[in-house]
Amino acid sequence: MARPAPGVAGADRSQGAPVHQAATEGGSQPEEKPASRRTRRATKNASRKRSPKTAADKRSYVCSVRLNETEKSLLATAAAAARTSLPAFLARSALAAARDPEHAAGAIAGERELISELFAARRHLGHVGNNLNQLTRAVNSGDRPADAHLDAVLTAVRRATDRVQAATDRLLEHR
């Protein structure tokens, strides 16, 4: 088979299209257009970019937190008010609490502790109420209990009702 002259298209070996040879291996083809210069995109405002964190400041640990709808909504609203994401808000507020553990313990006292206090105060009121019923039964049957005993029971009833009221108020403030 004869070779075509240099610079002339050769015979079609597949589908009838002319075959051209490259000037050099891996070089550009004679028919190709020169590559156009790409224009560079406008860069974003440099003041809005975050500076990269140092290795010590990068957060590499992930903690999973479960929330109910009410808790998530409350935290999302607080995060939006702080103009931060929910995970960042959780991390920052937890770190703030961890820096002052004595104050945080009082602030974090959840509903569970308040409800426990309310139930304990209610039990105390029940015990004191039992003493008051015994005194009432004695008075109704004609006995005259000692004034000191009567005063002690009435004082205990007042303290118990104050304790229940205080626990209820704290629970309502917490909500």
Side-chain angles (χ1 to χ4, degrees), residues 62-75 86-87 90 112:
V62 175
C63 296
S64 178
V65 177
R66 292 187 181 269
L67 304 169
N68 63 31
E69 282 295 321
T70 305
E71 292 167 337
K72 185 179 183 295
S73 175
L74 186 64
L75 289 171
L86 180 57
L90 289 171
R112 186 173 297 163

Side-chain angles (χ1 to χ4, degrees), residues 140-161:
N140 287 339
S141 67
D143 275 351
R144 176 78 180 138
D147 288 339
H149 189 62
L150 185 60
D151 289 341
V153 169
L154 292 176
T155 301
V157 168
R158 282 189 201 104
R159 273 188 299 192
T161 55

Side-chain angles (χ1 to χ4, degrees), residues 2-3 29 39 41 44-45 63 81 108 135 164 174:
R3 293 188 160 196
Q29 298 290 331
T39 58
R41 281 184 13 199
K44 290 183 179 180
N45 185 355
C63 296
I108 294 174
L135 280 175
V164 169
H174 187 263

Side-chain angles (χ1 to χ4, degrees), residues 44-65:
K44 290 183 179 180
N45 185 355
S47 65
R48 296 207 37 152
K49 281 187 169 181
R50 278 194 227 171
S51 58
K53 289 187 175 187
T54 63
D57 291 336
K58 283 189 179 181
R59 292 181 174 149
S60 57
Y61 296 100
V62 175
C63 296
S64 178
V65 177

Side-chain angles (χ1 to χ4, degrees), residues 120-133:
R122 192 171 150 251
R123 276 191 307 277
H124 183 240
L125 183 60
H127 295 175
V128 171
N130 186 32
N131 290 345
L132 184 60
N133 284 339

Side-chain angles (χ1 to χ4, degrees), residues 93-94 96-98 100-114 174:
S93 58
D100 188 7
E102 291 176 11
H103 182 268
I108 294 174
E111 288 183 18
R112 186 173 297 163
E113 290 83 7
L114 292 173
H174 187 263

